[in-house]
Every structure is written in C-alpha cells, then in structure tokens.
Amino acid sequence: MLGTRSCLAAALAATLMTIATPAQAAPATLVSAGPGILVADGAAVDVPVTFVCDTDPALIIALPVVQVTQRVSDGRLAGGGGSDQLSCTKQSQTVTIRVIPNMMAFNEGTAAASVYLRTCSAQFQCSVVIINTEITLANPAGAEQD
C-alpha cells in the first residue's frame, strides 16, 4: 500500500509540474539586418530587418528591436534604437525599423547593430533571437554628397 501511495504521489507531482510549467514558444528565424539608409542627414537611419516566424504555428506577434552604435568623430559615438510590432505571416517578412540617435547624428560608414526579435503566441509564450552584426550606413540613392 505504501508503495502504491508513493507511486501515485510521484505521478501526481509530475503531472502538476507539467501543467504548471509553461511551454516555451519556438523562436523565429532572424534572417538579416541592414544595410541602413540615412534619413535627414543622419537624424535617423532606416534599417531593414528580415525574419520568418514559421518555426512555430502558434506564433502570432513579432516585435523586432534594432540598436545601432557608430563612432562618428573625435571618438564620439552616435547611438540609438527603434522598434516595431507586427503580425506573423508564416512567410519571410521584411520591416524597416527607424532608428533615432540619442545625441549625435549618424554618418555614412560602418556601424555596430544589435537586432532583437521577440515572437509571442496568443498565450504570451515568447522567445527571443538576437544577432550582433555590423551594418553599412549610406545616403539614399540619388542623394547629394556633402
């Protein structure tokens, strides 16, 4: 009898732990970021982010965040971030994130970028994919050079 109670208690505990532990959503695939296009002489930069959230059919929301840092002059740094929220389509999606610098304008050239892609299900089970990369910042095609 004691052995049966122990087995039942262990089975009940395992079942409760399974129920109480939320499942994690499978992460989306973050495909690429950049290059960035300067806006208003560096007052912002538009960074395209491409991703696919078809790894888990339960994913419905994508929240991409882009942080950009660039050495601009005399060792000073321009940096800022931007984000968006959109629905997962289960296909490759590209969204342009506008990154606004905190203090100094961005320049043409190389910048460090961190892209965070949080994807969530309707039950708020979320996962995050992060890439750290370098991107090129350039003036828009046809823009005059200073």
Side-chain angles (χ1 to χ4, degrees):
M1 185 98 175
L2 184 58
T4 304
R5 285 185 186 166
S6 296
C7 287
L8 287 174
L12 179 60
T15 302
L16 289 175
M17 286 178 55
T18 303
I19 293 170
T21 305
Q24 294 295 318
T29 303
L30 187 53
V31 178
S32 66
I37 302 298
L38 294 168
V39 177
D41 293 326
V45 63
D46 287 341
V47 179
V49 175
T50 302
F51 63 92
V52 181
C53 49
D54 67 350
T55 56
D56 183 343
L59 296 176
I60 62 166
I61 297 171
L63 303 155
V65 176
V66 177
Q67 296 286 326
V68 176
T69 305
Q70 183 186 43
R71 186 181 188 124
V72 288
S73 65
D74 299 327
R76 293 182 286 186
L77 297 175
S83 63
D84 202 352
Q85 176 179 332
L86 53 154
S87 297
C88 288
T89 65
K90 311 302 182 226
Q91 298 175 4
S92 179
Q93 295 174 254
T94 299
V95 61
T96 300
I97 307 292
R98 173 130 321 158
V99 177
I100 308 294
N102 296 325
M103 298 286 276
M104 299 190 66
F106 292 113
N107 291 330
E108 283 188 286
T110 304
S114 295
V115 182
Y116 307 86
L117 178 63
R118 178 180 297 271
T119 49
C120 300
S121 70
Q123 293 77 31
F124 300 106
Q125 295 169 341
C126 302
S127 62
V128 176
V129 177
I130 302 169
I131 62 168
N132 296 303
T133 187
E134 287 186 2
I135 62 173
T136 300
L137 306 183
N139 282 312
E144 291 183 24
Q145 301 288 321
D146 287 334

